[in-house]
Amino acid sequence: MSADIDFAKGDGLVPVIVQDDASGAVLMLAYMNRESYDRTVATGWATYWSRSRKAFWVKGETSGHRQAVRAIHVDCDGDTLLLKVDQEGGAACHEGYPSCFFRRRSDAGWDVVETRRFDPATVYKK
Amino acid sequence: MSADIDFAKGDGLVPVIVQDDASGAVLMLAYMNRESYDRTVATGWATYWSRSRKAFWVKGETSGHRQAVRAIHVDCDGDTLLLKVDQEGGAACHEGYPSCFFRRRSDAGWDVVETRRFDPATVYKK
């Protein structure tokens, strides 16, 4: 199965588009290597590879906002995945917004177009 | 405006998630450099950077399936864009499917879950 995914093109990583299965909202973009893909399939919970921490990243491990995977799609040339998920807590972004794409371009700049669901300071304690 | 987009992290390119503005379907993932972003904003037509051809790529230039941009979102850390578009011709994928993510994982393999809108052989002539 994972043999059909082209991990080589991106030096072992593929970009993963994460979409809310119910609303269709695009929540975030993350990355997977083959092992995180296999873990995702095996557990049913979205598991990425953190490029900054260079470590496996079970989404929601810290915040509790896990992503239950409902479907996995691969694109035509096999180098991008689309995950359809149920987002626990209704917020995917570490800044507390439903999606990471909470800013929309206007002629004046970037407008915040979503409402915070949680205060990051209370979720990510030092 | 484009100063808020982090092109440096990806060696001058950012991944761009393309979503159908009406249906919410995720159509494809492409890449932009700063100049293709500026051209997209100036013209209103999605203009990417082709990594394989190393050239600007006005989506639909050959097929006629252009993408009229309805909104541009940027993510929390500024290194990914989300474009909401009206997809001309109802098909984004060069293989003739509505989206590039026409294959869904099942336990048996990858199932084609979309129907072709056009025959690539008739659209992309030699």
Side-chain angles (χ1 to χ4, degrees):
Chain A
M1 294 287 299
S2 68
D4 299 312
I5 304 171
D6 183 359
F7 288 102
K9 193 188 280 184
D11 284 332
L13 298 179
V14 294
V16 181
I17 301 167
V18 189
Q19 184 179 33
D20 187 282
D21 188 45
S23 72
V26 174
L27 300 175
M28 55 186 274
L29 186 83
Y31 292 83
M32 283 186 182
N33 57 15
R34 191 180 300 277
E35 168 81 19
S36 57
Y37 174 81
D38 289 342
R39 291 188 187 192
T40 297
V41 170
T43 64
W45 295 105
T47 305
Y48 307 109
W49 179 259
S50 167
R51 296 181 302 169
S52 54
R53 292 187 285 114
K54 300 190 193 310
F56 291 106
W57 166 32
V58 180
K59 170 69 183 167
E61 222 169 14
T62 306
S63 65
H65 299 153
R66 296 181 301 172
Q67 295 173 336
V69 177
R70 297 302 174 215
I72 301 177
H73 294 244
V74 66
D75 78 342
C76 44
D77 51 2
D79 64 0
T80 305
L81 297 176
L82 169 64
L83 247 65
K84 299 188 180 185
V85 305
D86 289 345
Q87 174 64 59
E88 295 192 332
C93 184
H94 71 290
E95 293 198 23
Y97 294 95
S99 95
C100 294
F101 299 96
F102 57 86
R103 290 179 292 165
R104 185 172 61 200
R105 185 193 176 279
S106 73
D107 287 338
W110 296 99
D111 303 331
V112 172
V113 293
E114 296 183 3
T115 304
R116 272 209 165 99
R117 298 292 178 88
F118 68 82
D119 175 359
T122 66
V123 169
Y124 303 99
K125 295 181 194 300
K126 298 289 178 186
Chain B
M1 292 288 299
S2 69
D4 299 313
I5 304 172
D6 183 359
F7 289 101
K9 193 188 279 184
D11 284 332
L13 299 179
V14 293
V16 181
I17 301 167
V18 189
Q19 183 180 33
D20 187 283
D21 187 45
S23 72
V26 174
L27 301 176
M28 54 187 275
L29 186 83
Y31 292 83
M32 283 185 182
N33 57 15
R34 190 179 299 278
E35 168 83 19
S36 56
Y37 174 81
D38 289 342
R39 291 188 188 192
T40 298
V41 170
T43 64
W45 296 103
T47 305
Y48 306 109
W49 179 258
S50 166
R51 295 181 302 168
S52 55
R53 293 188 285 112
K54 299 189 192 313
F56 291 105
W57 167 32
V58 179
K59 169 70 183 166
E61 223 169 14
T62 306
S63 65
H65 299 154
R66 296 181 302 173
Q67 295 174 336
V69 177
R70 297 303 175 213
I72 301 175
H73 294 243
V74 66
D75 79 343
C76 45
D77 51 3
D79 65 359
T80 306
L81 297 176
L82 169 65
L83 247 63
K84 299 190 179 184
V85 305
D86 288 346
Q87 175 64 59
E88 294 192 333
C93 184
H94 72 290
E95 294 199 20
Y97 294 96
S99 95
C100 294
F101 298 96
F102 57 85
R103 290 180 293 165
R104 185 173 60 202
R105 185 193 176 282
S106 73
D107 287 339
W110 296 100
D111 302 332
V112 172
V113 293
E114 296 184 4
T115 305
R116 272 210 165 98
R117 299 291 178 88
F118 69 82
D119 175 1
T122 67
V123 169
Y124 302 99
K125 297 180 196 298
K126 299 285 179 186

